[in-house]
Amino acid sequence: MSTLVRAEWTKLFTTRVWIGLAIGACLMAGGFAALFTGLAGVEQNGQPGLPPVGTPQYEEVVFSVAANASVFLLILGIIGMTQEYRHRTATPTFLTTPRRGRVVVAKLLAYAAAAVPVALLVLVVDVVVVMVYAGARGAAPSLDGENLRTLGAAGLVLVVFAVIGVGIGALLRNQVGAIVGSLVYLYVVEPIISSIGAISGAYKWLPGGAVQAITSDFQAPDLLEPWQGGLLLLGYGLVAALLGTLLAVRRDVV
């Protein structure tokens, strides 16, 4: 298994895709952190906006935005699996290791491990932007227990989404379809569900609701407890990995 994991890392790091996705994740996290810090305490159309700089509510929101970059880790996982089918390397890969389940498990482990340094980099960018910008506004937050918990939760989200991406890639196999479908679900389907009163209660059981539960419950009281959200998100990752493994083992390579 260790040899298969190293092989997956070789495939990953000999391309430049991961660099672009890592940069995109950092830019998204840093951009949202700067945007939310700039809007903190500013009224929007006469309505209260984000909590002012220096409040615990502001710190919770601004440190949790790193989890928004999870979409890039999701895409990384999807590409890691679907590139085998897109570039027609699945056949030699599965011939080299006939037990396909081992290949998928190796991908899951490899991309989960590869997501850790990327997640740490994203968190560092988030913290640096917040410290500099909020400090310029006179209230740099301290990295106390609660803020560290929020950052740790955001890091967990980033890693789990890489695992979910591998599972989705094994399920769908088509790279473009898997990426587009995931984006539509995250940015169209889930927001629609959360905004329709009759079914909005289901949102807390979806991946987005789980992410919000473990990172930031600001202005969203109807969510699971953070530990419940963490278990739910891990469950989504395990289910995606399990289904992806089962299908990869049973389906023909085309």
Side-chain angles (χ1 to χ4, degrees):
M1 182 59 68
S2 60
T3 302
L4 290 176
V5 171
R6 288 196 298 270
E8 292 303 325
W9 285 339
T10 300
K11 293 177 185 178
L12 172 63
F13 294 120
T14 51
T15 66
R16 298 179 181 178
V17 173
W18 71 274
I19 298 176
L21 292 174
I23 292 174
C26 291
L27 290 176
M28 175 176 278
F32 272 110
L35 178 64
F36 285 9
T37 301
L39 295 177
V42 179
E43 291 188 354
Q44 303 293 323
N45 298 321
Q47 300 296 322
L50 293 171
V53 172
T55 62
Q57 293 80 9
Y58 158 77
E59 294 173 3
E60 179 186 48
V61 171
V62 81
F63 283 133
S64 68
V65 297
N68 291 341
S70 59
V71 63
F72 288 95
L73 278 299
L74 179 72
I75 293 173
L76 180 67
I78 290 174
I79 291 175
M81 188 67 216
T82 57
Q83 67 182 353
E84 298 281 7
Y85 300 101
R86 182 176 184 182
H87 299 295
R88 301 292 191 269
T89 58
T91 298
T93 295
F94 290 143
L95 286 176
T96 303
T97 308
R99 297 175 63 181
R100 298 184 189 180
R102 292 173 61 86
V103 175
V104 180
V105 171
K107 287 184 179 292
L108 292 168
L109 294 175
Y111 280 85
V116 172
V118 177
L120 291 175
L121 181 61
V122 170
L123 296 178
V124 168
V125 170
D126 187 3
V127 170
V128 169
V129 171
V130 171
M131 290 297 185
V132 172
Y133 199 173
R137 297 192 60 185
S142 61
L143 294 180
D144 56 16
E146 191 61 29
N147 288 339
L148 287 176
R149 187 204 70 80
T150 302
L151 288 169
L156 174 64
V157 169
L158 294 170
V159 174
V160 172
F161 264 72
V163 175
I164 293 175
V166 174
I168 292 174
L171 285 170
L172 300 181
R173 299 200 293 185
N174 182 279
Q175 188 171 106
V176 175
I179 293 175
V180 172
S182 298
L183 294 178
V184 169
Y185 173 78
L186 289 175
Y187 295 112
V188 178
V189 176
E190 280 201 354
I192 289 176
I193 292 175
S194 65
S195 63
I196 298 176
I199 59 174
S200 60
Y203 174 72
K204 66 181 180 181
W205 301 105
L206 301 178
V211 169
Q212 196 169 0
I214 66 176
T215 54
S216 172
D217 59 1
F218 174 66
Q219 289 185 343
D222 187 25
L223 291 173
L224 299 174
E225 293 295 323
W227 67 270
Q228 293 173 325
L231 289 178
L232 179 62
L233 189 63
L234 287 172
Y236 276 114
L238 292 174
V239 169
L242 179 60
L243 291 177
T245 301
L246 291 176
L247 290 179
V249 169
R250 295 175 181 274
R251 288 190 303 200
D252 292 333
V253 177
V254 292

